[in-house]
Amino acid sequence: MALRIGSRYGATALVVMAVGGAAAGCSDEMPPSFQWQAVQSDLPGALLSVWGTTATDVYTVGADANDGTGPQALHFDGTRWTRIDTGAGRGSLWWVYGVSATQVYMVGSEGTVLRYDPVRGATERMTTPSRAPTLFGVWGATPNDVWAVGGSTDGNTGALWHYDGTAWTAQAAPGGLNDSTIWYKVYGSAANDVSVCGTNGALLHWDGTAWSQQAVPEAGRGPLFTVHGRGAQRFAVGGNVSGIVLESDSPTAPWRAVTVETAPRLSGVFVPETGSPLAVGNGGALFQRRSGAWRQVARPPRTQLDFHAVWVDPTGAVWTVGGDLQTSALARGVIYRFGEAIPRTPVVTPESITRCDQTPGNICTYAGAGIAGYNGDGRPLRESMMYWPMDMEFAPDGRPLVLDWNNHRIRRVTVAGTFETIMGVEEPGDGPPGNTDLTEPGALGTTVALNHPTDLMFAPDGRLLVVAWHNHKIRRWDPATGMTFVPLGRGPGWIDGPFAMARIKQPSKGVLDPSGTVMYLLDQGNVRVRRVDLANQMVTTVAGNGMRAFAGDNGPALMASFNLQTGENPEPEGGIALDRDGRNLYVSDTGNHRIRRIELASGTITTVVGTGALGYGGDNGPALMAQLSSPQDIEFGPDGRLYIADTNNHRIRAVDLATNVITTVAGTGRRGYGGDRGPALAADLYRPHGIAFDAAGNLFICDTLNDRVRRVWR
């Protein structure tokens, strides 16, 4: 199929063809400031078409899920997605369109025409002239006047079919074009005004009596994938590498070409009842026609996947669907919508649509709706909104806790599989009213305001220690009472000594020694590593001279320099881990793109991972020759390897310290969200900051800017 040919990210020019001047009958006003929502991400198959009657009656169809259930066919009722039973065990569906309240047509591979009755919930596969072609488009004026188009990619031949209420019949195209043209889409405004587009810039028009071929300039002779319009106006989009848009003010008007820069191949176009025409394409591209020209929207969706179709519902919200369209697998389906009136709530998706095989090495979303925000506790984990989860930990009883960083909360997973907040309130702050957490027994955690906590660890007595980063404190939470107390931290600074006088500044990470009585703290704001003796309540510095630089390797750790962001509002950085016998302390030196080791007995510091050059490289080779990009959290896994959140490489990597070989264990390096239900190495991540392991050895990834926690099965 031609949609899978060519560059992923597009080319440098877009060819626009118009009759001249602004197209009639179409509003070109400036769009509203849209709010994006990924209502579905990473479905088993790419989604290829979206259509509906209202914002609460939306259909989308797509590729074979490759799980034995056949093509994707989903319906949205305003709250919940459900999967339509198509009765097809294999193949893909390329387009959906309804001609009446009881007749929704879906067409696809092997000459498939499905007629779905949403009232009865029944799907019928209709008898068609052939099962050879793939049908890419369908449109109808009435239940007795429906057109379906497609063709064979092997023979480059076309199928032009019509349904008259009794039977489907093959129709001839003018000039014998069915012998050399694949037809991709059909659209009409009435029974006597129907347009079809296809390969080689081919365009047909039906006037109710006969088909005629329309003239297209030479610059527009590429594949045209979708045609749509409003009134007499028409648009058709396509292209191989560069995008093509054809524009006409009437069914019989000639076309002309206009060049617009930086557009990729475009696959979908839609003209709403009111508002501006929209076109979508490769790499999440979204273009809009306004003030007589096509321009990229100011804030497109945050995805590198490809869009295939676009539709605007009656409320003005824009829906666009797609996935990985550059491979024959047509995987990783996505649905985005945007508009001023979009409710900021997640959409319920049945487990049957997103079930995940627990094959070792597979990755699945564990928690998070993929929407930055907070929609309360008590919801299923994958319907719960988070705002940049930074890290997580497992309680002695195995229950996970997540640092919901920009919601300023610590959230625990309940036995019912929902979230509950154990510390934090609605607004950021520093403690409860009256600062009653400064004296024991403290205050209820649900009354304590936090300001971006960054790390969690459990002491041997079962109490939780919280690195309260922007509060410059260590807080302790007692699960038996729910009370929170501040043992260390009375304002920012750098002072060693007893807890009462010691000062820390923006501590980002901590780790307990095997006895649980000593914490090593990465004191980011002071660019130092501190030793916190919990038994004797003393703080000392063990590494770092307070200067932001790279220096000191193979010498005393106290003379070494780290490179961690400082100032009033930096990004939290760094990671810290102890080996199993507590002899060596490992530090993620984020700004130096290295992992460094401090031998605690001698106080000597050395680099063990990273050349110091920002980048990605070195997999399956010596760790010292590898390149990292702003590494953050580090943890020892159950296999003894040191795992690294290679954050700006959008990967998780692991180092075998016995052989000093580094490998990638999760992430393609592409920034985005994708790959669930498949190998973690084929998944897309977006700046993962935190990693953790449960008692079974499964790897959990805080996929921070995807607002999700994901699990890699061991």
Side-chain angles (χ1 to χ4, degrees):
M1 164 56 178
L3 290 180
R4 299 194 292 271
I5 299 172
S7 167
R8 179 180 185 85
Y9 296 105
T12 58
L14 162 70
V15 177
V16 178
M17 302 188 181
V19 173
C26 180
S27 172
D28 282 344
E29 71 269 15
M30 187 66 71
S33 62
F34 293 129
Q35 297 293 321
W36 287 97
Q37 185 181 32
V39 295
Q40 289 295 320
S41 294
D42 197 45
L43 291 168
L47 295 172
L48 304 170
S49 175
V50 58
W51 170 87
T53 62
T54 68
T56 59
D57 181 33
V58 183
Y59 294 85
T60 181
V61 298
D64 195 321
N66 291 313
D67 59 3
T69 61
Q72 298 283 290
L74 308 176
H75 179 258
F76 180 61
D77 65 4
T79 302
R80 179 179 296 272
W81 288 97
T82 55
R83 189 164 184 176
I84 298 170
D85 183 4
T86 64
R90 63 180 186 180
S92 298
L93 294 173
W94 283 89
W95 213 247
V96 58
Y97 186 80
V99 299
S100 74
T102 59
Q103 295 192 29
V104 176
Y105 283 85
M106 297 174 276
V107 299
S109 54
E110 298 182 347
T112 297
V113 176
L114 302 178
R115 185 166 57 186
Y116 174 64
D117 182 347
V119 176
R120 296 188 300 115
T123 305
E124 168 197 5
R125 177 162 184 163
M126 304 183 77
T127 301
T128 57
S130 170
R131 291 202 173 191
T134 295
L135 298 176
F136 297 114
V138 63
W139 177 87
T142 69
N144 298 325
D145 185 10
V146 184
W147 294 93
V149 300
S152 170
T153 57
D154 293 332
N156 201 40
T157 56
L160 181 61
W161 295 352
H162 182 256
Y163 180 68
D164 63 3
T166 302
W168 284 94
T169 57
Q171 305 290 304
L177 284 174
N178 282 343
D179 295 332
S180 59
T181 306
I182 300 170
W183 305 113
Y184 287 129
K185 297 296 179 298
V186 55
Y187 161 79
S189 66
N192 61 353
D193 180 20
V194 183
S195 296
V196 171
C197 64
T199 52
N200 303 315
L203 278 165
L204 302 180
H205 182 258
W206 173 259
D207 63 6
T209 302
W211 287 101
S212 59
Q213 184 177 6
Q214 297 184 294
V216 175
E218 189 63 32
R221 293 201 172 277
L224 301 175
F225 298 127
T226 305
V227 60
H228 198 261
R230 191 65 59 189
Q233 186 183 23
R234 291 290 186 276
F235 295 92
V237 302
N240 277 319
V241 178
S242 299
I244 296 174
V245 174
L246 295 139
E247 189 173 298
S248 172
D249 282 339
S250 75
T252 58
W255 307 91
R256 70 179 180 85
V258 178
T259 300
V260 178
E261 297 297 323
T262 68
R265 178 179 57 208
L266 300 172
S267 300
V269 65
F270 189 86
V271 186
E273 292 283 354
T274 61
S276 306
L278 294 161
V280 296
N282 281 14
L286 178 64
F287 282 77
Q288 185 174 49
R289 190 186 193 278
R290 57 182 191 268
S291 301
W294 289 86
R295 298 181 177 89
Q296 295 186 60
V297 298
R299 288 190 290 269
R302 191 176 68 191
T303 181
Q304 293 179 338
L305 295 175
D306 306 313
F307 288 143
H308 192 264
V310 59
W311 172 70
V312 181
D313 71 31
T315 70
V318 178
W319 299 71
T320 183
V321 300
D324 189 349
L325 304 180
Q326 305 304 301
T327 65
S328 59
L330 294 174
R332 297 192 293 168
V334 293
I335 308 171
Y336 281 84
R337 65 176 175 177
F338 64 99
E340 287 188 317
I342 293 299
R344 298 293 289 169
T345 56
V347 174
V348 178
T349 304
E351 181 69 22
S352 61
I353 295 177
T354 57
R355 60 182 174 270
C356 188
D357 181 7
Q358 298 181 17
T359 299
N362 268 12
I363 189 170
C364 306
T365 293
Y366 173 75
I371 307 168
Y374 178 72
N375 61 342
D377 288 334
R379 298 173 183 268
L381 295 180
R382 290 196 302 184
E383 297 170 22
S384 298
M385 294 164 65
M386 296 184 285
Y387 200 159
W388 296 357
M390 192 63 64
D391 207 353
M392 65 184 299
E393 185 58 273
F394 289 86
D397 63 2
R399 293 168 67 182
L401 289 85
V402 177
L403 278 171
D404 196 349
W405 189 73
N406 226 17
N407 281 324
H408 315 283
R409 295 172 183 265
I410 298 165
R411 304 172 76 179
R412 181 173 63 178
V413 177
T414 69
V415 293
T418 64
F419 274 132
E420 62 178 346
T421 296
I422 62 170
M423 191 185 301
V425 295
E426 184 175 356
E427 298 294 332
D430 190 9
N435 291 325
T436 52
D437 65 341
L438 298 179
T439 56
E440 293 197 85
L444 280 172
T446 51
T447 69
V448 174
L450 301 173
N451 194 341
H452 295 107
T454 49
D455 204 5
L456 303 171
M457 63 208 87
F458 278 92
D461 62 5
R463 293 190 293 184
L464 177 69
L465 296 170
V466 179
V467 179
W469 177 71
H470 229 155
N471 296 132
H472 319 290
K473 290 178 170 68
I474 302 299
R475 285 190 158 97
R476 186 181 68 210
W477 178 76
D478 188 340
T481 64
M483 304 295 279
T484 300
F485 169 65
V486 178
L488 173 63
R490 298 295 187 272
W494 176 57
I495 301 175
D496 281 344
F499 280 10
M501 63 174 290
R503 297 290 184 268
I504 55 180
K505 184 178 181 181
Q506 293 161 342
S508 61
K509 292 291 181 180
V511 64
L512 291 170
D513 75 354
S515 72
T517 61
V518 173
M519 175 196 297
Y520 291 94
L521 192 65
L522 187 55
D523 194 359
Q524 178 183 339
N526 287 315
V527 203
R528 291 176 165 95
V529 178
R530 317 285 291 280
R531 183 181 187 273
V532 180
D533 188 329
L534 298 170
N536 298 310
Q537 298 193 352
M538 290 290 294
V539 178
T540 54
T541 299
V542 297
N545 58 17
M547 298 177 62
R548 287 189 65 188
F550 172 69
D553 258 13
N554 305 310
L558 281 167
M559 300 298 292
S561 297
F562 300 99
N563 190 358
L564 304 171
Q565 290 187 41
T566 58
E568 291 304 312
N569 196 31
E571 178 177 306
E573 289 190 337
I576 194 166
L578 268 173
D579 60 14
R580 290 180 178 176
D581 59 12
R583 295 180 181 178
N584 296 295
L585 184 67
Y586 292 81
V587 177
S588 182
D589 192 354
T590 302
N592 283 322
H593 314 293
R594 299 169 184 261
I595 308 299
R596 302 171 79 179
R597 179 175 59 203
I598 302 166
E599 186 182 276
L600 294 174
S602 66
T604 300
I605 188 170
T606 55
T607 294
V608 293
V609 185
T611 63
L614 181 152
Y616 173 73
D619 259 14
N620 305 309
L624 278 171
M625 299 299 291
Q627 289 178 282
L628 306 174
S629 184
S630 301
Q632 299 279 8
D633 195 19
I634 52 177
E635 297 283 345
F636 277 97
D639 56 5
R641 292 191 294 175
L642 181 66
Y643 286 73
I644 305 165
D646 195 358
T647 300
N648 283 357
N649 277 323
H650 316 292
R651 291 175 165 98
I652 307 300
R653 304 172 80 178
V655 179
D656 185 332
L657 295 173
T659 62
N660 292 319
V661 172
I662 187 170
T663 55
T664 294
V665 297
T668 62
R670 291 188 298 258
R671 183 184 71 184
Y673 176 71
D676 266 11
R677 297 172 304 279
L681 284 168
D684 294 341
L685 308 173
Y686 195 175
R687 299 202 72 212
H689 275 69
I691 48 181
F693 292 89
D694 66 9
N698 299 306
L699 168 64
F700 286 74
I701 302 169
C702 286
D703 196 358
T704 304
L705 265 66
N706 277 323
D707 304 299
R708 291 174 167 95
V709 173
R710 302 171 78 179
R711 172 169 53 192
V712 180
W713 297 100
R714 186 182 184 190

CSV table of all heavy atoms in Angstrom, one decimal, residues 673-707:
chain,number,residue,atom,x,y,z
A,673,TYR,N,5.2,7.7,23.1
A,673,TYR,CA,4.6,6.6,23.8
A,673,TYR,C,4.2,5.5,22.8
A,673,TYR,O,3.4,5.8,21.9
A,673,TYR,CB,3.4,7.1,24.6
A,673,TYR,CG,2.6,6.0,25.2
A,673,TYR,CD1,3.1,5.3,26.3
A,673,TYR,CD2,1.4,5.6,24.8
A,673,TYR,CE1,2.5,4.3,27.0
A,673,TYR,CE2,0.7,4.5,25.4
A,673,TYR,CZ,1.2,3.9,26.5
A,673,TYR,OH,0.6,2.9,27.1
A,674,GLY,N,4.6,4.3,23.0
A,674,GLY,CA,4.3,3.2,22.1
A,674,GLY,C,4.9,1.9,22.6
A,674,GLY,O,5.9,1.9,23.4
A,675,GLY,N,4.4,0.8,22.0
A,675,GLY,CA,5.1,-0.5,22.2
A,675,GLY,C,4.5,-1.4,23.3
A,675,GLY,O,5.0,-2.5,23.5
A,676,ASP,N,3.4,-0.9,23.9
A,676,ASP,CA,2.8,-1.8,24.9
A,676,ASP,C,2.4,-3.1,24.3
A,676,ASP,O,2.0,-3.2,23.2
A,676,ASP,CB,1.6,-1.1,25.6
A,676,ASP,CG,1.9,-0.3,26.9
A,676,ASP,OD1,3.1,-0.2,27.1
A,676,ASP,OD2,1.0,0.1,27.6
A,677,ARG,N,2.4,-4.1,25.2
A,677,ARG,CA,2.1,-5.5,24.8
A,677,ARG,C,3.1,-6.2,23.9
A,677,ARG,O,2.9,-7.2,23.4
A,677,ARG,CB,0.7,-5.6,24.1
A,677,ARG,CG,-0.4,-5.2,25.0
A,677,ARG,CD,-1.7,-5.1,24.3
A,677,ARG,NE,-1.6,-4.2,23.1
A,677,ARG,CZ,-1.7,-2.8,23.2
A,677,ARG,NH1,-1.9,-2.3,24.4
A,677,ARG,NH2,-1.6,-2.1,22.1
A,678,GLY,N,4.3,-5.5,23.8
A,678,GLY,CA,5.4,-6.1,23.0
A,678,GLY,C,6.7,-5.9,23.7
A,678,GLY,O,6.8,-5.5,24.9
A,679,PRO,N,7.8,-6.3,23.0
A,679,PRO,CA,9.1,-6.2,23.7
A,679,PRO,C,9.5,-4.8,24.1
A,679,PRO,O,9.2,-3.8,23.4
A,679,PRO,CB,10.1,-6.7,22.5
A,679,PRO,CG,9.2,-7.5,21.6
A,679,PRO,CD,7.9,-6.8,21.6
A,680,ALA,N,10.0,-4.7,25.3
A,680,ALA,CA,10.4,-3.4,25.9
A,680,ALA,C,11.4,-2.7,25.0
A,680,ALA,O,11.4,-1.5,24.9
A,680,ALA,CB,10.9,-3.6,27.3
A,681,LEU,N,12.2,-3.4,24.3
A,681,LEU,CA,13.2,-2.8,23.4
A,681,LEU,C,12.5,-2.1,22.2
A,681,LEU,O,13.2,-1.3,21.5
A,681,LEU,CB,14.2,-3.8,22.9
A,681,LEU,CG,15.3,-4.2,24.0
A,681,LEU,CD1,16.0,-5.5,23.5
A,681,LEU,CD2,16.2,-3.1,24.2
A,682,ALA,N,11.3,-2.5,21.9
A,682,ALA,CA,10.6,-1.9,20.8
A,682,ALA,C,9.6,-0.8,21.2
A,682,ALA,O,8.8,-0.3,20.5
A,682,ALA,CB,9.8,-2.9,20.0
A,683,ALA,N,9.7,-0.4,22.5
A,683,ALA,CA,8.7,0.5,23.1
A,683,ALA,C,9.3,1.9,23.0
A,683,ALA,O,10.6,2.1,23.2
A,683,ALA,CB,8.4,0.2,24.5
A,684,ASP,N,8.5,2.9,22.9
A,684,ASP,CA,8.9,4.3,23.0
A,684,ASP,C,8.6,4.8,24.4
A,684,ASP,O,7.6,4.6,25.0
A,684,ASP,CB,8.1,5.2,22.0
A,684,ASP,CG,8.4,4.8,20.5
A,684,ASP,OD1,9.5,4.2,20.3
A,684,ASP,OD2,7.6,5.2,19.7
A,685,LEU,N,9.6,5.6,24.9
A,685,LEU,CA,9.5,6.2,26.2
A,685,LEU,C,9.7,7.7,26.1
A,685,LEU,O,10.1,8.2,25.0
A,685,LEU,CB,10.6,5.6,27.2
A,685,LEU,CG,10.7,4.1,27.4
A,685,LEU,CD1,11.9,3.7,28.2
A,685,LEU,CD2,9.4,3.6,28.0
A,686,TYR,N,9.3,8.5,27.1
A,686,TYR,CA,9.5,9.9,27.0
A,686,TYR,C,10.1,10.4,28.4
A,686,TYR,O,9.4,10.6,29.3
A,686,TYR,CB,8.2,10.6,26.8
A,686,TYR,CG,8.2,12.0,26.3
A,686,TYR,CD1,7.1,12.7,25.9
A,686,TYR,CD2,9.4,12.7,26.3
A,686,TYR,CE1,7.2,14.0,25.5
A,686,TYR,CE2,9.5,14.0,25.8
A,686,TYR,CZ,8.4,14.7,25.5
A,686,TYR,OH,8.4,16.0,25.0
A,687,ARG,N,11.4,10.6,28.3
A,687,ARG,CA,12.2,11.1,29.5
A,687,ARG,C,11.9,10.3,30.8
A,687,ARG,O,11.4,10.9,31.8
A,687,ARG,CB,12.0,12.6,29.7
A,687,ARG,CG,12.4,13.4,28.5
A,687,ARG,CD,12.7,14.9,28.9
A,687,ARG,NE,13.9,14.9,29.7
A,687,ARG,CZ,14.1,15.8,30.7
A,687,ARG,NH1,13.2,16.7,31.0
A,687,ARG,NH2,15.3,15.8,31.3
A,688,PRO,N,12.1,9.0,30.8
A,688,PRO,CA,11.9,8.3,32.1
A,688,PRO,C,12.9,8.7,33.1
A,688,PRO,O,14.1,8.8,32.9
A,688,PRO,CB,12.1,6.8,31.6
A,688,PRO,CG,13.1,6.9,30.5
A,688,PRO,CD,12.7,8.2,29.7
A,689,HIS,N,12.4,9.0,34.3
A,689,HIS,CA,13.2,9.5,35.4
A,689,HIS,C,13.5,8.4,36.5
A,689,HIS,O,14.5,8.4,37.1
A,689,HIS,CB,12.6,10.7,36.1
A,689,HIS,CG,12.9,12.0,35.4
A,689,HIS,ND1,12.4,12.3,34.2
A,689,HIS,CD2,13.7,13.0,35.8
A,689,HIS,CE1,12.9,13.5,33.9
A,689,HIS,NE2,13.7,14.0,34.8
A,690,GLY,N,12.5,7.5,36.7
A,690,GLY,CA,12.6,6.6,37.9
A,690,GLY,C,12.5,5.2,37.5
A,690,GLY,O,11.8,4.8,36.5
A,691,ILE,N,13.2,4.3,38.2
A,691,ILE,CA,13.1,2.9,38.0
A,691,ILE,C,13.0,2.2,39.3
A,691,ILE,O,13.5,2.7,40.4
A,691,ILE,CB,14.2,2.3,37.2
A,691,ILE,CG1,15.6,2.8,37.7
A,691,ILE,CG2,14.1,2.6,35.7
A,691,ILE,CD1,16.8,2.3,36.9
A,692,ALA,N,12.3,1.0,39.4
A,692,ALA,CA,12.2,0.2,40.6
A,692,ALA,C,11.9,-1.2,40.2
A,692,ALA,O,11.5,-1.5,39.1
A,692,ALA,CB,11.1,0.8,41.5
A,693,PHE,N,12.1,-2.1,41.2
A,693,PHE,CA,11.9,-3.5,41.0
A,693,PHE,C,10.9,-4.0,42.1
A,693,PHE,O,11.1,-3.7,43.3
A,693,PHE,CB,13.2,-4.3,41.0
A,693,PHE,CG,14.1,-4.1,39.8
A,693,PHE,CD1,15.0,-3.1,39.9
A,693,PHE,CD2,14.0,-4.8,38.7
A,693,PHE,CE1,15.8,-2.8,38.8
A,693,PHE,CE2,14.8,-4.6,37.6
A,693,PHE,CZ,15.7,-3.6,37.7
A,694,ASP,N,10.0,-4.9,41.7
A,694,ASP,CA,9.1,-5.5,42.7
A,694,ASP,C,9.8,-6.8,43.2
A,694,ASP,O,10.9,-7.1,42.7
A,694,ASP,CB,7.7,-5.7,42.2
A,694,ASP,CG,7.6,-6.7,41.1
A,694,ASP,OD1,8.6,-7.4,40.8
A,694,ASP,OD2,6.5,-6.8,40.5
A,695,ALA,N,9.1,-7.4,44.2
A,695,ALA,CA,9.7,-8.6,44.8
A,695,ALA,C,9.9,-9.7,43.8
A,695,ALA,O,10.8,-10.6,43.9
A,695,ALA,CB,8.9,-9.1,45.9
A,696,ALA,N,9.1,-9.7,42.7
A,696,ALA,CA,9.2,-10.8,41.7
A,696,ALA,C,10.3,-10.5,40.6
A,696,ALA,O,10.5,-11.3,39.7
A,696,ALA,CB,7.9,-11.0,41.0
A,697,GLY,N,10.9,-9.3,40.7
A,697,GLY,CA,12.0,-8.9,39.8
A,697,GLY,C,11.5,-8.2,38.6
A,697,GLY,O,12.3,-7.9,37.6
A,698,ASN,N,10.2,-7.8,38.5
A,698,ASN,CA,9.7,-7.1,37.4
A,698,ASN,C,10.2,-5.6,37.4
A,698,ASN,O,10.2,-5.0,38.5
A,698,ASN,CB,8.2,-7.1,37.3
A,698,ASN,CG,7.6,-8.5,37.2
A,698,ASN,OD1,8.0,-9.2,36.2
A,698,ASN,ND2,6.7,-8.9,38.1
A,699,LEU,N,10.6,-5.1,36.3
A,699,LEU,CA,11.1,-3.7,36.2
A,699,LEU,C,9.9,-2.7,36.0
A,699,LEU,O,9.1,-2.9,35.1
A,699,LEU,CB,12.1,-3.6,35.1
A,699,LEU,CG,12.5,-2.2,34.7
A,699,LEU,CD1,13.3,-1.5,35.8
A,699,LEU,CD2,13.4,-2.3,33.4
A,700,PHE,N,9.9,-1.7,36.9
A,700,PHE,CA,8.9,-0.7,36.7
A,700,PHE,C,9.6,0.6,36.3
A,700,PHE,O,10.6,1.0,36.9
A,700,PHE,CB,8.1,-0.4,38.1
A,700,PHE,CG,7.1,-1.5,38.4
A,700,PHE,CD1,7.5,-2.8,38.8
A,700,PHE,CD2,5.8,-1.3,38.2
A,700,PHE,CE1,6.6,-3.8,39.1
A,700,PHE,CE2,4.8,-2.3,38.5
A,700,PHE,CZ,5.3,-3.5,38.9
A,701,ILE,N,9.0,1.3,35.3
A,701,ILE,CA,9.6,2.5,34.8
A,701,ILE,C,8.7,3.7,35.0
A,701,ILE,O,7.5,3.6,34.5
A,701,ILE,CB,9.9,2.3,33.3
A,701,ILE,CG1,10.8,1.1,33.0
A,701,ILE,CG2,10.5,3.6,32.7
A,701,ILE,CD1,10.9,0.8,31.5
A,702,CYS,N,9.1,4.7,35.6
A,702,CYS,CA,8.3,5.9,35.7
A,702,CYS,C,8.6,6.7,34.4
A,702,CYS,O,9.6,7.3,34.2
A,702,CYS,CB,8.8,6.8,36.9
A,702,CYS,SG,8.2,6.1,38.4
A,703,ASP,N,7.6,6.5,33.4
A,703,ASP,CA,7.7,7.1,32.1
A,703,ASP,C,7.2,8.5,32.2
A,703,ASP,O,6.1,8.8,31.8
A,703,ASP,CB,6.9,6.2,31.1
A,703,ASP,CG,7.2,6.5,29.7
A,703,ASP,OD1,8.1,7.4,29.4
A,703,ASP,OD2,6.7,5.8,28.8
A,704,THR,N,8.1,9.4,32.7
A,704,THR,CA,7.7,10.6,33.3
A,704,THR,C,6.8,11.5,32.4
A,704,THR,O,5.7,11.9,32.8
A,704,THR,CB,8.9,11.4,33.8
A,704,THR,OG1,9.7,10.5,34.7
A,704,THR,CG2,8.5,12.6,34.6
A,705,LEU,N,7.3,11.9,31.3
A,705,LEU,CA,6.6,12.8,30.4
A,705,LEU,C,5.5,12.2,29.6
A,705,LEU,O,4.7,12.8,28.9
A,705,LEU,CB,7.5,13.6,29.5
A,705,LEU,CG,7.9,15.0,30.1
A,705,LEU,CD1,8.8,14.8,31.4
A,705,LEU,CD2,8.6,15.8,29.2
A,706,ASN,N,5.4,10.8,29.8
A,706,ASN,CA,4.2,10.2,29.3
A,706,ASN,C,3.1,10.0,30.3
A,706,ASN,O,2.0,9.5,30.1
A,706,ASN,CB,4.5,8.8,28.7
A,706,ASN,CG,5.0,8.8,27.3
A,706,ASN,OD1,4.5,9.6,26.5
A,706,ASN,ND2,6.0,8.0,27.0
A,707,ASP,N,3.4,10.5,31.6
A,707,ASP,CA,2.5,10.5,32.7
A,707,ASP,C,1.9,9.1,32.9
A,707,ASP,O,0.8,8.9,33.2
A,707,ASP,CB,1.3,11.5,32.4
A,707,ASP,CG,1.8,12.9,32.1
A,707,ASP,OD1,2.4,13.5,33.0
A,707,ASP,OD2,1.6,13.4,31.0
